[in-house]
Amino acid sequence: MQSRSSASRATGRPRSAAADAAILEATRAALVELGWSKLTLGDVATRAGVAKTTLYRRWAGKNELVVDAVAELFDELELPDSGSLAADIEGVVLQFAAILDRPEAKSGLMAVVAESTHDGALRARIRASIVDRQKRLVLEGRAHAQARGELPPEEDPGTAARAVDLIFDVVAGAVLHRTLVSAEPVTEDWACRLAQILLQGLPETTPPPPG
Amino acid sequence: MQSRSSASRATGRPRSAAADAAILEATRAALVELGWSKLTLGDVATRAGVAKTTLYRRWAGKNELVVDAVAELFDELELPDSGSLAADIEGVVLQFAAILDRPEAKSGLMAVVAESTHDGALRARIRASIVDRQKRLVLEGRAHAQARGELPPEEDPGTAARAVDLIFDVVAGAVLHRTLVSAEPVTEDWACRLAQILLQGLPETTPPPPG
Amino acid sequence: MQSRSSASRATGRPRSAAADAAILEATRAALVELGWSKLTLGDVATRAGVAKTTLYRRWAGKNELVVDAVAELFDELELPDSGSLAADIEGVVLQFAAILDRPEAKSGLMAVVAESTHDGALRARIRASIVDRQKRLVLEGRAHAQARGELPPEEDPGTAARAVDLIFDVVAGAVLHRTLVSAEPVTEDWACRLAQILLQGLPETTPPPPG
Amino acid sequence: MQSRSSASRATGRPRSAAADAAILEATRAALVELGWSKLTLGDVATRAGVAKTTLYRRWAGKNELVVDAVAELFDELELPDSGSLAADIEGVVLQFAAILDRPEAKSGLMAVVAESTHDGALRARIRASIVDRQKRLVLEGRAHAQARGELPPEEDPGTAARAVDLIFDVVAGAVLHRTLVSAEPVTEDWACRLAQILLQGLPETTPPPPG
DNA sequence: TACTAACCGAGACGGTACGTCAGGTCTTAGC
DNA sequence: GCTAAGACCTGACGTACCGTCTCGGTTAGTA
């Protein structure tokens, strides 16, 4: 986060650890009520019961603060080991959708992404704090599926890494688009149909009735 | 857009049609240079050679203006009739990625989406101006594929509509996530692999039937 | 006002004479309700049922318009021939005070005077339309007093003119200051005591002759 | 002026004392150059090297600011103890006229008076800051004259107070009207003749030649 | 226990942009 | 060629936040 460099000061009053938590929590609360554009750092400071100075001493600005506040939300995600790849995908999709459905995640995440298009440092911070952290889910899911024999073992490490990225973009992107752009709910049915496409492709979308 | 109601005024000086175009163009230019958060309406007005009041007379605020400015970008999209469903998908994906790669689209689109999470009217405007307008591509693509025999004819209209929405979320979402969140380029290779997943599913080497 | 030059146009639609009166009346009404600084020409136009263009075609701006609107008020003044100089003075003072007590006169007059300190043309217009027009009262009053034998006949015309100006400044100034700066009412008693000072000077109990 | 209430804040950064002086000085300078109606608070702030917000933090608006800026001018006035009532009056009249001749006093004073006709709080502020402060001159002058035996000692306190107000209105009003409305200079001769009227009344304006 | 350095709150500071409003000009259509 | 209507450009308004700064006061952790 913003850890003082290791070889740093030992003297003087230490920073209040409680303040950090209060500020991030206040940031999320403000995002819920006001959304990104009407969120002001002065207001966050007030909500957190903290001086504006304290806030600026720890974060460079609104963007950095919101990235940290939002990143915490995604750490809740975990892969359910449900016995089949399809069920694993469905489970993660529903969890991810549940987080994205929270207003603080919605407006916070999209806004920092928008800002990151003009700010390389912010982009890196987002990748490090949010995106790359959650790729672990795809990796774990694939490992489980391979153990079950649902997926073949990977041959080339390069190919495998590219596949992970692609899957992540498809799954996360679909949920993101459904939730934020289309602004439609992610239901169990939808998650099931998404998993089906991923595993079987389009032509089977409407399989012929057996018999 | 903001057409005066049909049964409207005949008197007074009419609005300059050129101003609209100049303002939208200036908005895109400002998005490129400054990004969403540093874009100011005063600056847009100056670039467009127009008074700030003229701008406010026609749009309610930054959000509405940017939606209109960005929406125009997506009207360039068209479905290539390339002979196979896979090639059609790949073509559209590349076109969509090319638009999303433009800085004005990137920051503009994400920002208004972020704002729309707290503004129902804005959400509706985005859907009407951007999302629903482009679903035509999925519809056309399916029709072509059905004509070619690559996809079965649809049975139930409800099921079919839900499928269109799903496909749209998956394709648009994947490109969006790749471009903006992962911040990686959409190459021909990537588009090809995406199309492959959509048509055949994940297990490239079809899994052995359980038994 | 801004009379078209005598040898002027005969073609086209003639200007509405009623509009002039309506505009000046509307100006006074707006002065009453809003005061000078919040009076707007657009509002005056609306009140008068006239387009803003019409207003600007006839007056150069707010200042000129208000001078004309206020000047009309002072034309009501007339010298009462009440039989004695003291009573004449008292009568004029009360009349003048009554006019100055009207809100449109108060704020209008002071404001244009304030503006005139930076605008010679406006200063001239005020003198011509308001100040010099009312000096007639002093002249008439003196003539009556001389006829009655209360004042000696004037010897030198220059001295006499200077005396008129002085009296006018003293009387009008006293009422003005009382009404606007001190913001106290001009009562009959006050007017009487003012007349007394003018005629007899300060030491009510005549000072003992020196020596 | 705008002193924080005595039992007030001890925390936070204290207000810059220098800013107050710079702002009032800048206000007077702007009044000289631009006059009341073209004076803008933004311009005053710029001249004073101060942010607009600082200005609004201390004064409620243009009116209040100008009252304070102008009031300082009148504090220069002082009663000359010149040995006779006539000479005292003449001296004060000339001093007062000298101040009123300054453009910042002219336009500033008249404008706030005009505004005060629609604003009771402003009227009170003017009285407190300007009018009542200068009545001291009349009081001192009368005391001196009584000490010299030129005026009888006052009998009734009420009568005396009313007399002070009247004298003040007459003297200040005459100078005001001469300077601003008539727009003529106050010369020594004029001041002398004004003093004469006050002391001896009108009929003596042109005394019969002795003998 | 006392020192002391860094922390903390409050809030004023110079700025920038906001969205609104009035001033004046202009461009229509209609009389 | 006037009129009403209203769009136009300009520029000031008063407000809200920004990020910085200067205060007085607090709070560990040594010395």
Side-chain angles (χ1 to χ4, degrees), chain B:
Chain B
M1 214 150 285
Q2 66 289 344
S3 57
R4 257 99 61 249
S5 66
S6 50
S8 70
R9 7 143 290 106
T11 175
R13 177 175 173 173
R15 288 190 177 169
S16 158
D20 265 60
I23 291 170
L24 291 175
E25 185 52 42
T27 303
R28 284 186 290 264
L31 274 175
V32 172
E33 288 180 30
L34 307 168
W36 160 269
S37 66
K38 295 190 179 166
L39 177 152
T40 69
L41 294 200
D43 180 52
V44 168
T46 304
R47 287 168 190 258
V50 143
K52 217 172 21 151
T53 37
T54 297
L55 213 150
Y56 278 105
R57 207 176 290 120
R58 303 183 184 202
W59 283 277
K62 200 164 152 174
N63 292 329
E64 287 75 11
L65 175 60
V66 171
V67 171
D68 284 2
V70 169
E72 287 188 348
L73 293 175
F74 290 96
D75 287 338
E76 301 175 6
L77 284 175
E78 59 183 27
L79 187 75
D81 192 348
S82 40
S84 80
L85 179 53
D88 283 4
I89 291 177
E90 204 180 316
V92 166
V93 161
L94 288 173
Q95 275 186 54
F96 186 44
I99 292 177
L100 268 193
D101 204 42
R102 294 165 65 174
E104 64 269 38
K106 269 179 177 149
S107 49
L109 181 59
M110 285 296 92
V112 294
V113 166
E115 291 303 302
S116 77
T117 62
H118 271 80
D119 182 344
L122 184 61
R123 197 154 52 235
R125 191 184 189 109
I126 293 175
R127 287 196 63 149
S129 300
I130 305 184
V131 181
D132 288 346
R133 268 170 100 87
Q134 307 310 332
K135 273 193 185 149
R136 59 185 167 89
L137 297 169
V138 181
L139 292 169
E140 287 177 31
R142 186 178 57 180
H144 289 179
Q146 287 169 338
R148 285 192 214 102
E150 290 175 298
L151 286 176
E154 60 224 55
E155 316 101 34
D156 175 42
T159 307
R162 283 211 311 282
V164 167
D165 288 353
L166 177 60
I167 304 304
F168 191 67
D169 285 329
V170 172
V171 173
V175 176
L176 206 72
H177 197 274
R178 174 77 175 177
T179 308
L180 298 177
V181 184
S182 296
E184 300 280 359
V186 169
T187 60
E188 280 193 34
D189 173 59
W190 189 88
C192 177
R193 288 188 291 125
L194 173 59
Q196 200 177 26
I197 284 191
L198 286 178
L199 296 177
Q200 297 163 20
L202 278 183
E204 284 112 356
T205 58
T206 32

Side-chain angles (χ1 to χ4, degrees), chain C residues 49-202:
Chain C
V50 144
K52 226 178 8 157
T53 335
T54 300
L55 212 151
Y56 278 105
R57 210 174 287 122
R58 303 185 185 198
W59 282 275
K62 199 164 153 174
N63 292 329
E64 288 75 10
L65 175 60
V66 171
V67 171
D68 284 1
V70 170
E72 289 188 348
L73 293 174
F74 289 95
D75 288 338
E76 302 176 5
L77 283 175
E78 61 182 26
L79 187 75
D81 193 348
S82 40
S84 80
L85 180 51
D88 283 3
I89 292 176
E90 205 180 317
V92 166
V93 161
L94 288 172
Q95 275 186 54
F96 187 44
I99 292 177
L100 267 192
D101 206 42
R102 294 164 65 173
E104 64 270 38
K106 268 178 176 152
S107 49
L109 182 59
M110 285 294 92
V112 294
V113 166
E115 290 304 301
S116 77
T117 62
H118 271 79
D119 182 345
L122 185 62
R123 196 156 51 235
R125 192 185 190 107
I126 293 174
R127 286 194 64 149
S129 302
I130 306 183
V131 182
D132 288 346
R133 270 169 99 88
Q134 307 310 332
K135 273 195 185 146
R136 60 185 168 88
L137 297 169
V138 182
L139 291 169
E140 288 177 32
R142 185 178 58 180
H144 290 179
Q146 286 169 338
R148 285 191 214 99
E150 290 173 297
L151 285 176
E154 61 226 57
E155 315 102 32
D156 176 42
T159 308
R162 285 210 311 283
V164 167
D165 287 353
L166 178 59
I167 304 304
F168 191 67
D169 285 330
V170 171
V171 174
V175 176
L176 207 70
H177 196 277
R178 175 76 175 177
T179 308
L180 298 177
V181 185
S182 297
E184 300 279 0
V186 169
T187 60
E188 280 193 34
D189 172 60
W190 188 88
C192 176
R193 289 188 290 127
L194 172 61
Q196 198 176 27
I197 283 191
L198 285 178
L199 295 177
Q200 298 163 22
L202 278 183

Side-chain angles (χ1 to χ4, degrees), chain D residues 48-66:
Chain D
V50 142
K52 213 169 30 147
T53 38
T54 298
L55 213 151
Y56 279 105
R57 208 176 288 122
R58 303 183 184 202
W59 283 276
K62 199 165 151 173
N63 292 329
E64 287 74 11
L65 175 61
V66 171

Side-chain angles (χ1 to χ4, degrees), chain D residues 16-38:
Chain D
S16 157
D20 264 59
I23 291 170
L24 291 174
E25 185 53 41
T27 303
R28 285 187 289 265
L31 274 175
V32 173
E33 287 180 31
L34 306 170
W36 161 268
S37 65
K38 297 191 178 164

